[in-house]
Amino acid sequence: AVLFADISAAEPHLRAVRQNGKLALLPLIAASTQTGFAERLRAVRLGASMFVAKPVDAQEVVKLVAGVEEAHTQRLYRVVIA
């Protein structure tokens, strides 16, 4: 399972997820229309595994989710800021 969320709209909910013991390690792909360094840093601070700029193509989302799930399964914890 992977959590894909717009961090601009869901920040309070993402903080709650990260504080929940059962959900804290759930991989997060953060999306936002704001693509500056500050927004990307905010995503990292919320525990994002990856950051993508909106709008996001549906095929791109499928690839991102597959990649994050694979990395999470292998226990690779690396933050990608592109």
Side-chain angles (χ1 to χ4, degrees):
V2 173
L3 180 59
F4 184 91
D6 179 335
I7 61 171
S8 300
E11 185 171 346
H13 304 292
L14 294 174
R15 289 190 188 284
V17 165
R18 290 299 180 221
Q19 292 173 358
N20 182 318
K22 293 179 181 179
L23 302 175
L25 296 178
L26 189 64
L28 166 64
I29 299 174
S32 179
T33 56
Q34 299 177 24
T35 59
F37 180 78
E39 188 72 356
R40 292 169 188 263
L41 182 58
R42 190 170 97 172
V44 169
R45 288 182 175 156
L46 288 169
S49 304
M50 186 173 288
F51 178 91
V52 294
K54 288 172 58 177
V56 181
D57 179 72
Q59 291 178 349
E60 182 182 358
V61 171
V62 171
K63 289 178 186 178
L64 291 172
V65 169
V68 170
E69 282 183 328
E70 181 179 336
H72 185 70
T73 301
Q74 296 175 4
R75 300 288 186 233
L76 299 177
Y77 294 97
R78 183 172 27 156
V79 176
V80 178
I81 300 179

